[in-house]
Amino acid sequence: MNDSPIQNFWQLVTDNADQLLSLVNEESVLAQELLEEVQDQLSYIDPHLTVFCARDEAGTGIELVFGCDGYNQSIDTVLFLVAAAPQLSQIKVMAFNPRVEHIPEAIEIGDAVLELDELFFGLRNIGEELHLDLYLEELPILEDAPQTDAALMFLDAIVGEYDLMTRIHSVNWLDLPEDPLDHGLKPLIELRKQFDLLRSKRPALGEALH
């Protein structure tokens, strides 16, 4: 893999680290313009690469979380990119959204709000493959509907983005039956426990490399 675009990318981040850190104090226009430039540089490396910039838990630094928008063929590029990152003061570089301790009760995208307790699931282990069925009362017609994006954000928070892409073979959307518990379905909040029992025991790579 030609690493010069990756080197150029990290040079851009290093040269503008202070400007990125300004996101901690204010949503400055300059910082937002820089994030757009960062995303453009990522697209030059691989068009599927994404970056999410957010304050860290302490509120004194930022986290740069890199992903590939669900495209499995770009996972290695994400890992290679993050492994090549220099040490940056107050900037934590991560590959893929990790599972979180406190799962949100609801996620809002645009005008759409999806509550966690609206989602139920069934998880099947077929051979060495895990298949996830997601059930929602008002099933979105379009794949890119806000409810779909919100549900995937819940899955990232519960099992982690890397595990979602590498250990769950398929995600199927189904209409929620009138009495989901009678059909053997479980609330989505219980997915982590069942997933951890069924998943393969391979070490989870890429959740935090820096």
Side-chain angles (χ1 to χ4, degrees):
M1 180 182 295
N2 182 2
D3 64 356
S4 87
I6 290 179
Q7 291 173 350
N8 292 339
F9 171 81
W10 285 120
Q11 190 63 55
L12 171 68
V13 173
T14 301
D15 291 344
N16 295 278
D18 289 342
Q19 198 177 130
L20 283 171
L21 283 167
S22 71
L23 287 173
V24 174
N25 301 317
E26 59 180 332
E27 298 292 338
S28 70
V29 174
L30 286 176
Q32 292 300 330
E33 290 177 352
L34 176 58
L35 284 178
E36 292 178 5
E37 185 178 356
V38 166
Q39 183 60 63
D40 288 343
Q41 287 281 348
L42 277 180
S43 297
Y44 183 69
I45 297 169
D46 183 320
H48 300 140
L49 297 187
T50 61
V51 61
F52 177 72
C53 181
R55 296 172 179 83
D56 60 18
E57 290 184 2
T60 58
I62 61 172
E63 295 177 345
L64 294 179
V65 183
F66 294 89
C68 51
D69 207 19
Y71 289 89
N72 287 33
Q73 65 267 35
S74 297
I75 288 175
D76 286 346
T77 306
V78 174
L79 298 177
F80 192 87
L81 173 70
V82 171
Q87 293 295 328
L88 299 166
S89 177
Q90 294 183 290
I91 297 178
K92 183 178 182 180
V93 178
M94 302 175 65
F96 307 109
N97 290 305
R99 56 174 64 183
V100 300
E101 183 178 352
H102 302 292
I103 300 166
E105 294 181 358
I107 292 177
E108 180 177 355
I109 297 181
D111 295 330
V113 178
L114 184 64
E115 296 185 3
L116 180 61
D117 60 11
E118 294 182 64
L119 289 160
F120 286 76
F121 79 94
L123 188 63
R124 297 168 289 133
N125 196 345
I126 302 177
E128 296 184 355
E129 296 177 350
L130 288 177
H131 298 263
L132 176 64
D133 297 325
L134 283 182
Y135 294 82
L136 184 62
E137 186 172 355
E138 296 182 3
L139 195 64
I141 298 176
L142 302 175
E143 289 186 2
D144 59 353
Q147 295 91 335
T148 304
D149 291 338
L152 292 175
M153 291 174 69
F154 275 130
L155 293 180
D156 285 350
I158 293 171
V159 302
E161 184 182 9
Y162 182 80
D163 275 350
L164 180 61
M165 287 193 297
T166 61
R167 296 179 177 176
I168 295 182
H169 185 75
S170 67
V171 178
N172 307 301
W173 291 88
L174 299 165
D175 286 309
L176 185 69
E178 186 173 345
D179 194 335
L181 298 180
D182 277 354
H183 286 75
L185 307 182
K186 296 182 178 181
L188 191 63
I189 189 65
E190 298 181 20
L191 173 61
R192 179 179 294 174
K193 180 179 180 181
Q194 187 168 352
F195 173 79
D196 287 346
L197 288 173
L198 292 178
R199 70 175 177 174
S200 62
K201 299 304 181 184
R202 291 180 293 126
L205 300 176
E207 291 181 359
L209 299 185
H210 280 256

